[in-house]
Amino acid sequence: MTATEDRYRVQSVERAFVLLEALAEAGPEGMTLSDLARLLGISKSSAYAILQTLLAGGFVADSGSGMSRRYRLGMALARLGDVVVSQIALRDVAMTVMRDLTRETGLTSRVAVLDEPYAVVIARVDAPHSTVRFTANLGKREHLHCSAVGKAMLAALPETTVHEILATAGLPEKTAYTITEAPALHADLASVEQRGYAIDDEEDNEGVFCVGSAIFDHTARCVGAVSVTGLKLDLPAWRVDQLGQTVRDHAAQISTLLGAPATAEAAV
Amino acid sequence: MTATEDRYRVQSVERAFVLLEALAEAGPEGMTLSDLARLLGISKSSAYAILQTLLAGGFVADSGSGMSRRYRLGMALARLGDVVVSQIALRDVAMTVMRDLTRETGLTSRVAVLDEPYAVVIARVDAPHSTVRFTANLGKREHLHCSAVGKAMLAALPETTVHEILATAGLPEKTAYTITEAPALHADLASVEQRGYAIDDEEDNEGVFCVGSAIFDHTARCVGAVSVTGLKLDLPAWRVDQLGQTVRDHAAQISTLLGAPATAEAAV
DNA sequence: GGATTGGTTCGGTAATTCCGAACATCGTTT
DNA sequence: AAACGATGTTCGGAATTACCGAACCAATCC
């Protein structure tokens, strides 16, 4: 049946999580050590050791002591769960809006988040009939100063963090068009802030053009950016601003779906 | 320092959760196997085995495959976290309202949840100067047909589940006043539904009087009940209805704090 | 007060898990 | 292009690790 070799599983870890599932079933009143041991079909001492481990990490909590001590799920799980739902929220929301965006523009769209001092792509929707395969691997770290998503985020971040990021990551030259001087970059960021979208004009890859805009969460903090990517020769100059507005609108759409207040997307 | 003997801990379980914390830090883009192994200071194969285990349970998810596969937190954690927050919510919300209730009435108040086919007490606030110590242990299972919290819940549950519960648990006689006949019980439940609160008049313990009312969550389902307990001779008949309304109001208060729609508490 | 249930501690055993190394695959760089 | 480096996956062996059973406390129930 399960061709998935048991060889590459850890027994005690599996038991720990079966135990957690049992506690989840049990509800607020929790379960006793003996109940758990019986339910899992293991010795009391084994269950005890696992519970102590989980207790130390706050993944289970105990009510009462000594006799008839009861165990229930701990706060630490609430924290982990919260991380998951916020991540899922960004991914899922982004995916649906990105599909819209590529359908409207015919271009590959991507969403990246900030992983100081780099940007990292967490979702991508390929153009339907892309002439070139952009090998944009998910999870790949990219420089901020030479990408549309990167500059969109930089323009939305506080000044101090921008300085920190540029200080640690620098401004390496990727192509002849890469902005390698801090003053020039700050000037560019100012116009990004004004327009509401950023442009990468062959600054990261020769012949590649990108337009990106920042995404904000419910606390009005910048959590990432969305962009479309195409070949420079497919994009006449008169289309750029129209494209920029489209991307900006879709970014705002993601932000509102994340519960961002309307002010976050407006001009500073 | 930590006098907590490492002897009663499970190494691999501890590692698994350190790994999860690391993934939580990592964010939506996740981490690679090698990164994790380096970070935890363990071999790749060990980290691999743990990851496979977590993957099987849905506690981590993987993006991409083969090369540069990335791991991030899985949906199962969202589920566990959700269970925790709803439990915490009920407990915490209940405690504050219960303190109000005992202050106003001078009686011991308790909150129980349904653990078919029994009721189980999950929180209690003792009366300030209680003449008698009610040994109402938390987590203790009680019959539904002879307690105020039990009858309050029964009146709020669908007919089919009521039948199931009574069929499996029966109607054992606890005192001379215990309702042991199904028709009589149903008649009582009807009046409970009408009044909005249930009465236990020495049906569980001789000389003990209880008044209880049901609690509803944000999905308008009955999740428990709250009650006050006192000695029969301290409660003249004319106080009963006033007390019932007080308990009912506080139950409604808990329900609204849990996000229950206003209709749930109204008469059926 | 005895009997029963539940939690905690301990010692020995062997099963479990850990590691290192080798293989397969892919991306990068020379 | 081809070699290199890095990554995920598989395997065998060694011993650490975690499991169990039993005994020891503590508290409840009869």
Side-chain angles (χ1 to χ4, degrees):
Chain A
M1 273 284 116
T2 64
T4 57
E5 296 281 352
D6 272 10
R7 174 128 211 276
Y8 304 110
R9 302 259 184 95
V10 180
Q11 186 190 53
S12 38
V13 173
E14 205 157 77
R15 287 181 172 181
F17 281 91
V18 171
L19 194 151
L20 286 180
E21 305 259 24
L23 286 182
E25 279 292 321
E29 70 273 16
M31 295 181 72
T32 98
L33 170 64
S34 304
D35 283 342
L36 282 168
R38 259 192 299 276
L39 187 62
L40 303 201
I42 64 180
S43 69
K44 275 195 298 182
S45 23
S46 303
Y48 182 69
I50 295 177
L51 276 174
Q52 288 303 314
T53 310
L54 296 176
L55 208 53
F59 298 98
V60 309
D62 55 342
S63 356
S65 66
M67 186 62 171
S68 81
R69 183 173 172 180
R70 300 188 85 81
Y71 297 92
R72 60 192 148 80
L73 297 184
M75 279 295 218
L77 287 174
R79 241 192 44 247
L80 286 182
D82 190 52
V83 172
V84 173
V85 295
S86 49
Q87 288 179 9
I88 301 292
L90 179 54
R91 272 190 84 89
D92 287 3
V93 165
M95 284 303 279
T96 58
V97 176
M98 284 162 71
R99 272 187 273 270
D100 278 8
L101 187 55
T102 53
R103 183 152 14 88
E104 276 187 39
T105 62
L107 300 173
T108 296
S109 58
R110 306 187 301 163
V111 163
V113 296
L114 184 66
D115 183 28
E116 294 192 41
Y118 299 107
V120 54
V121 178
I122 63 161
R124 184 189 65 213
V125 172
D126 285 318
H129 41 67
S130 66
T131 54
V132 200
R133 265 265 161 276
F134 299 107
T135 58
N137 305 50
L138 266 54
K140 187 174 184 178
R141 277 159 181 70
E142 294 178 351
H143 280 277
L144 291 171
H145 72 291
C146 58
S147 66
V149 284
K151 293 199 289 185
M153 286 194 275
L154 283 179
L157 289 171
E159 192 69 26
T160 58
T161 36
V162 173
H163 277 299
E164 281 176 18
I165 290 170
L166 296 182
T168 58
L171 289 81
E173 178 174 338
K174 306 291 289 293
T175 74
Y177 306 97
T178 306
I179 300 174
T180 57
E181 302 297 331
L185 182 61
H186 279 92
D188 193 26
L189 293 182
S191 59
V192 169
E193 215 165 342
Q194 217 168 19
R195 287 191 307 250
Y197 60 89
I199 292 173
D200 158 20
D201 191 358
E202 300 191 83
E203 296 162 34
D204 191 36
N205 289 93
E206 302 266 0
V208 178
F209 198 96
C210 289
V211 178
S213 186
I215 299 170
F216 301 87
D217 72 356
H218 62 101
T219 68
R221 281 176 49 82
C222 173
V223 291
V226 59
S227 75
V228 293
T229 304
L231 293 179
K232 166 94 170 170
L233 39 85
D234 290 339
L235 291 171
W238 58 267
R239 269 201 65 190
V240 170
D241 189 57
Q242 180 206 343
L243 197 59
Q245 290 183 31
T246 306
V247 172
R248 188 187 54 194
D249 290 350
H250 281 79
Q253 205 172 320
I254 297 176
S255 294
T256 47
L257 285 173
L258 288 177
T263 58
E265 303 139 23
V268 182
Chain B
M1 275 286 112
T2 63
T4 56
E5 296 279 353
D6 273 11
R7 172 133 212 275
Y8 304 110
R9 301 259 184 94
V10 181
Q11 184 190 54
S12 40
V13 173
E14 206 158 73
R15 287 179 172 184
F17 281 91
V18 172
L19 194 151
L20 286 180
E21 305 258 24
L23 286 182
E25 279 291 323
E29 70 271 15
M31 294 182 72
T32 122
L33 170 63
S34 304
D35 283 342
L36 283 167
R38 259 193 297 277
L39 187 62
L40 301 201
I42 63 179
S43 69
K44 277 194 297 182
S45 24
S46 302
Y48 182 69
I50 295 177
L51 276 174
Q52 289 302 314
T53 310
L54 296 177
L55 209 53
F59 298 98
V60 308
D62 55 344
S63 357
S65 67
M67 187 63 172
S68 81
R69 185 172 172 181
R70 299 187 85 81
Y71 298 92
R72 59 194 149 79
L73 296 183
M75 280 294 219
L77 286 174
R79 242 192 41 249
L80 287 181
D82 191 52
V83 171
V84 173
V85 294
S86 49
Q87 289 179 9
I88 301 292
L90 178 53
R91 270 189 86 89
D92 287 2
V93 165
M95 284 304 281
T96 60
V97 176
M98 283 160 72
R99 271 188 274 269
D100 276 10
L101 186 55
T102 52
R103 183 155 9 94
E104 276 188 37
T105 63
L107 300 173
T108 296
S109 56
R110 306 187 300 160
V111 163
V113 296
L114 184 65
D115 182 28
E116 295 192 43
Y118 299 106
V120 54
V121 178
I122 63 160
R124 184 189 68 213
V125 172
D126 284 319
H129 42 69
S130 66
T131 53
V132 200
R133 264 268 160 275
F134 300 108
T135 57
N137 305 49
L138 265 54
K140 188 174 183 179
R141 277 159 183 70
E142 293 178 352
H143 281 275
L144 290 171
H145 73 291
C146 58
S147 66
V149 285
K151 293 200 287 187
M153 287 193 274
L154 284 178
L157 290 170
E159 194 66 29
T160 57
T161 35
V162 173
H163 277 298
E164 282 176 17
I165 289 170
L166 297 181
T168 57
L171 289 81
E173 178 174 338
K174 305 291 289 295
T175 73
Y177 305 96
T178 307
I179 301 174
T180 57
E181 302 296 331
L185 182 60
H186 280 92
D188 192 26
L189 293 182
S191 59
V192 169
E193 215 163 346
Q194 220 169 17
R195 288 190 305 252
Y197 61 88
I199 293 173
D200 157 22
D201 191 358
E202 299 191 85
E203 297 164 33
D204 190 36
N205 288 92
E206 302 269 359
V208 178
F209 197 95
C210 290
V211 179
S213 186
I215 299 170
F216 302 87
D217 71 357
H218 61 101
T219 68
R221 282 176 49 84
C222 173
V223 292
V226 60
S227 76
V228 293
T229 305
L231 292 180
K232 166 94 171 170
L233 39 85
D234 290 339
L235 291 170
W238 60 267
R239 267 202 67 188
V240 170
D241 189 56
Q242 181 207 343
L243 197 60
Q245 290 181 32
T246 305
V247 173
R248 189 188 55 193
D249 290 348
H250 281 79
Q253 204 172 320
I254 297 176
S255 296
T256 47
L257 285 173
L258 290 176
T263 58
E265 304 139 23
V268 182

